[in-house]
Amino acid sequence: MAAKKPAQKTNTSGEELIEHYKKMLMIRRFEEKAGQLYGMGVIGGFCHLYIGQEAVVVGLEASAKEGDSRLTSYRDHAHMLACGMDPKGVMAELTGRSGGYSRGKGGSMHMFSAEKRFYGGHGIVAAQVPIGTGLAFAEKYNGTDNVSFTYFGDGAANQGQVYEAFNMASLWKLPVVFVIENNQYAMGTSLQRASSSPELHTRGHAFMIESEAVDGMDVLAVKEAGERAVAHCRAGNGPYILGVKTYRYRGHSMSDPAKYRTREEVQKVKTERDPIDHVREMLEQGKHATTEELKAIDKDIKKVVSEAADFAQTSPEPSLDELYTDILR
Amino acid sequence: MAIQILMPALSPTMEEGTLAKWLVKEGDTVQSGDIMAEIETDKATMEFEAVDEGVIGKILVAEGTEGVAVNTAIAVLLEDGEDASATADATPAPTEQAPVEETPTVSTPAQAIASVDIPMEDIPEGTTFTSTTVREALRDAMAEEMRANEKVFLMGEEVAQYQGAYKVSQGLLDEFGDKRVIDTPITEHGFTGLAVGAAFGGLNPIVEFMTFNFAMQAMDHIINSAAKTLYMSGGQMGCPIVFRGTNGAASRVGAQHSQCYAAWYAQIPGLKVVMPYSAADAKGLLKSAIRDPNPVIFLENEMIYGTSFDVPDLEDFTVPIGKAKIWRAGDDVTLVSFGIGMKYALEAADRLADEGISAEVIDLRSLRPIDYDTLINSVKKTNRCVTIEEGFPVASIGNHLSATIMERAFDYLDAPVINCTGKDVPMPYAANLEKLALVTTDEVMAAVKQVTYR
């Protein structure tokens, strides 16, 4: 991880920075609460937290427009919150309740929103990559200028189907932004131990796909890269790859003992490169928000998350006849 | 010594063809590799090259002749120094028996099965019929649905410019263009996932697998992505998609190209699975499959692509998914099958009739959902049942039907249900072993004798 960057002066407005800050903080507080509820046994199964990676999805969502689609892996809570899905519905899905986005039948890894064009939530590593490419195929077929944001991790980047998708996306010039969220560990296997080349953004070169490496701890850098990618896709130039370097603070899932990295390594990223601290510093230095205003934001978010957690625990379990619904249309 | 030039087999399943055109005439000298003739099969027109060099002594089969059996002598080639009189020795040669020639009791798949006793349910009186191959019926179904709905498109290997590996998509590229008839790279896992994404995105893809054997590479997307997403999304996200292609054994293509996947897919909630036998069912079910809002597995069989059946001349003929068809009524035993297994069931029923045994023959047509009621009602009447399929015996469709009959009609049974299936072996290549590995009409006959205690 590169050394800590000074807070930059940019053309970004204070208002926009505050929006980024709110969304990133919402994700962090939501994930912290999810971790807590998991520890209490309220959330079952697998639960993969996004803490540390917030700048990636928030930066990219800032480059999206109405009608764009997005999908990702099983580490998906943040993507839903960032595209505007209701924290209550997400949290209630984590607890397996009828108020969840999948009425309790999908769980943490399998959530969808037709309304927000969030296409999952995929539990099979890299399966979302051809599917996201297919969403882009539909955009082209229908003659829209919408794009598909297809997120996957550094682990998924070694799956064969990613390259099958790259080939078709480039061959047919499909409007898909491939976002490789490189959090540097595929479960417990570091990038160095799994990848013959650490430069994941170059993985599309053999397919003539334009790409760039992005600092995923800097929301503005992500947003700017996202805007370049999206403009490329909307103009009909085919896919674009963003190799976004980020870091996950928590374990792969809740049951991860994290023996594969040192506590010092994690601590160093937290203190030197935290994506939310970075935005807060910009806000303070640019005098876009007072300490009181930031505190108020924090309070508001805590309230929303707390309400989501209450809803997720009071929403009833799905009725038993739900067992046999939604198998076929 | 003059050499006989024989009608070639140009595909694993070819039994006869049309000698479309001679490109040489008597007296011409040919070198090895020269193109001598154009031969038309039900799939394609192919050039036929000389293997030996010499002078064309005599052309034995005139151009334009249809139905020339494989291995028929079509010309005589004279070697250096021979004259035309040598052809006298060569001409009469009886047609050599093809190694996979079937026993006389089994009709060849190229012939139409007698349709006299086939009731066509829900077809208005006075409807006329056209004899159509299964291959053409499938193409017609796709073309009709593509005309009706512009969101329907066909994607797969060789479906467009090549006109289909088995010629099923012939003509579709010309009519619908390359936006809607799409040649893919050889990338089953990838294009299946892509098509699932396109279906989530509001389109209606038809994915052709050159064979379902190759769909094993795409199994994760068929099961995990296509079949399960509606449930996992609490009913928000459906996947209206058809996966179709050849399934089961063709002829002499060995273990990796010969598996029947009926039982595999039939197990998966979230899928519909159909496996038609006749051309009318192929057409009507494929149209229903394309319109269905769910993922449908549509299992075809190369061996019956060229078989002709009567297809009703109706503007919009569909067959409902999930409804079996009684091909003939009978009292002594129920024969239940699907897909190519129906060929053995119907042949057995013919032979049984000669022996005074009246068999009721049911074509399930759909394997998910299965029309249990039609089967159970039949078994309650006949009290005996034999199931017929080409797939492996363990956890077969027949096993499942047996269990269901036991649960729902145990007291009606006068004999245990027998499952006739393919054998529990990878498909062998050798002709004699392959024949042994497949279910046969003789085995169906023997099973019926057993359950009727004859």
Side-chain angles (χ1 to χ4, degrees), chain A residues 258-276:
Chain A
K259 299 286 190 206
Y260 47 84
R261 61 184 182 186
T262 62
R263 217 172 267 183
E264 289 71 30
E265 177 188 304
V266 182
Q267 197 52 46
K268 191 170 155 64
V269 180
K270 281 184 180 175
T271 50
E272 295 181 2
R273 295 299 326 276
D274 185 79
I276 298 177

Side-chain angles (χ1 to χ4, degrees), chain A residues 102-103 112 141 161 164 329, chain B residues 150 187 190 221 232 234 294:
Chain A
S102 300
R103 300 215 299 279
F112 305 81
Y141 190 98
Q161 61 181 314
E164 298 189 29
R329 270 193 169 153
Chain B
E150 63 175 23
T187 183
H221 279 299
M232 295 193 301
N294 301 290

Side-chain angles (χ1 to χ4, degrees), chain B residues 114-175:
Chain B
S115 60
V116 281
D117 49 355
I118 302 167
M120 286 270 196
E121 74 282 20
D122 304 330
I123 291 176
E125 226 169 294
T127 302
T128 57
F129 294 85
T130 301
S131 176
T132 309
T133 64
V134 172
R135 171 181 288 116
E136 292 160 343
L138 292 166
R139 192 265 322 278
D140 292 348
M142 289 192 283
E144 288 178 18
E145 293 308 300
M146 288 176 78
R147 278 174 214 135
N149 180 358
E150 63 175 23
K151 302 284 186 196
V152 179
F153 70 93
L154 173 67
M155 160 176 278
E157 291 155 8
E158 309 292 4
V159 298
Q161 292 190 15
Y162 196 92
Q163 306 290 327
Y166 297 103
K167 225 177 166 184
V168 172
S169 57
Q170 192 173 35
L172 295 181
L173 175 66
D174 290 343
E175 181 173 353

Side-chain angles (χ1 to χ4, degrees), chain B residues 339-375:
Chain B
I340 197 172
M342 284 299 296
K343 180 161 134 0
Y344 308 111
L346 290 168
E347 282 166 2
D350 276 346
R351 286 167 59 188
L352 290 164
D354 293 342
E355 299 183 23
I357 300 174
S358 158
E360 180 145 300
V361 184
I362 296 175
D363 180 356
L364 284 180
R365 302 193 292 193
S366 295
L367 302 173
R368 175 173 273 273
I370 289 178
D371 182 355
Y372 296 109
D373 290 348
T374 295
L375 174 63

Side-chain angles (χ1 to χ4, degrees), chain B residues 394-409:
Chain B
V394 178
S396 63
I397 297 287
N399 290 172
H400 171 66
L401 298 177
S402 303
T404 306
I405 293 167
M406 189 173 70
E407 287 168 11
R408 289 183 55 183

Side-chain angles (χ1 to χ4, degrees), chain A residues 95-249:
Chain A
T95 56
R97 303 302 178 97
S98 58
Y101 266 98
S102 300
R103 300 215 299 279
K105 290 154 75 167
S108 164
M109 301 186 286
H110 313 117
M111 266 183 268
F112 305 81
S113 167
E115 185 204 347
K116 298 291 181 190
R117 301 207 72 201
F118 176 72
Y119 289 89
H122 292 268
I124 305 297
V125 175
Q128 74 273 23
V129 182
I131 295 173
T133 309
L135 289 165
F137 175 93
E139 300 301 353
K140 184 168 181 187
Y141 190 98
N142 289 331
T144 76
D145 71 344
N146 281 120
V147 307
S148 154
F149 288 93
T150 300
Y151 296 82
F152 56 102
D154 48 294
N158 294 322
Q159 286 274 27
Q161 61 181 314
V162 169
Y163 301 93
E164 298 189 29
F166 280 2
N167 184 43
M168 287 182 285
S170 182
L171 185 68
W172 296 334
K173 294 208 179 309
L174 304 180
V176 50
V177 181
F178 293 111
V179 184
I180 307 177
E181 290 197 72
N182 172 14
N183 68 17
Q184 307 183 53
Y185 292 92
M187 202 168 157
T189 303
S190 68
L191 186 69
Q192 287 68 27
R193 293 203 298 127
S195 174
S196 56
S197 155
E199 298 300 329
L200 296 181
H201 70 282
T202 67
R203 290 286 183 95
H205 284 184
F207 305 95
M208 318 287 280
I209 303 177
E210 283 194 40
S211 67
E212 61 183 279
V214 185
D215 177 1
M217 305 307 264
D218 179 347
V219 69
L220 297 180
V222 175
K223 185 196 161 201
E224 283 165 18
E227 283 169 345
R228 282 189 292 276
V230 161
H232 175 91
C233 291
R234 293 207 207 286
N237 298 319
Y240 200 94
I241 295 173
L242 298 174
V244 187
K245 199 170 177 186
T246 181
Y247 199 80
R248 123 169 99 66
Y249 294 180

Side-chain angles (χ1 to χ4, degrees), chain A residues 7-26:
Chain A
Q8 297 158 334
K9 281 207 169 166
T10 69
N11 298 326
T12 315
S13 71
E15 245 168 66
E16 192 194 324
L17 272 178
I18 287 173
E19 277 312 301
H20 296 332
Y21 180 74
K22 282 182 180 170
K23 279 193 166 176
M24 291 165 71
L25 198 61
M26 166 68 86

